[in-house]
Amino acid sequence: QVQLVESGGGLVQPGGSLRLSCAASGFSTIGYAIGWFRQAPGKERERVSCMSSHDGSTYYLDSVKGRFTISRDNSKNKMYLQMNNLKPEDSAVYYCAAERLALSCNVYSPLEYGFWGQGTQVTVSS
């Protein structure tokens, strides 16, 4: 069964950190671009970060630059999102995604990613 499963979400105080993990099963993510997206209530799903497969280049949403770091471990078929100095506006459901993308990952809309996790809630609140 092909699936992505996120973990690591939760409730954290402003300024805190969380590390999201995403485990792929049923397929190898080698050669796939990976991405982390988030969706807050009443808002559209937005790309937080992604990593291209052809050169490993990364992209970050402006509001998370310097605070979030995307990474992958192909040997474990996992991807990660390290989130530091979290802010209340980071609260959302976070999703991991993967797809075979020929170009840099940031030029593709969420709709062009074919593999998605079920989402994990991140709440930043005091």
Side-chain angles (χ1 to χ4, degrees), residues 3-63:
Q3 61 178 353
L4 296 175
V5 178
E6 299 101 338
S7 60
L11 173 63
V12 63
Q13 292 186 343
S17 297
L18 284 174
R19 188 194 193 203
L20 304 184
S21 299
C22 176
S25 60
F27 75 109
S28 170
T29 57
I30 294 175
Y32 281 73
I34 59 172
W36 288 94
F37 298 77
R38 67 186 181 188
Q39 188 166 17
K43 294 187 177 181
E44 291 188 355
R45 189 169 297 190
E46 63 179 353
R47 179 176 38 244
V48 175
S49 180
C50 66
M51 180 181 288
S52 300
S53 60
H54 61 282
D55 62 1
S57 59
T58 56
Y59 161 89
Y60 294 94
L61 187 66
D62 281 348
S63 62

Side-chain angles (χ1 to χ4, degrees), residues 4 24 27-34 52-54 72-79 98-101:
L4 296 175
F27 75 109
S28 170
T29 57
I30 294 175
Y32 281 73
I34 59 172
S52 300
S53 60
H54 61 282
R72 67 194 300 169
D73 186 338
N74 287 336
S75 68
K76 296 181 178 179
N77 223 19
K78 286 186 173 181
M79 64 183 85
E99 186 54 82
R100 287 190 178 275
L101 303 173

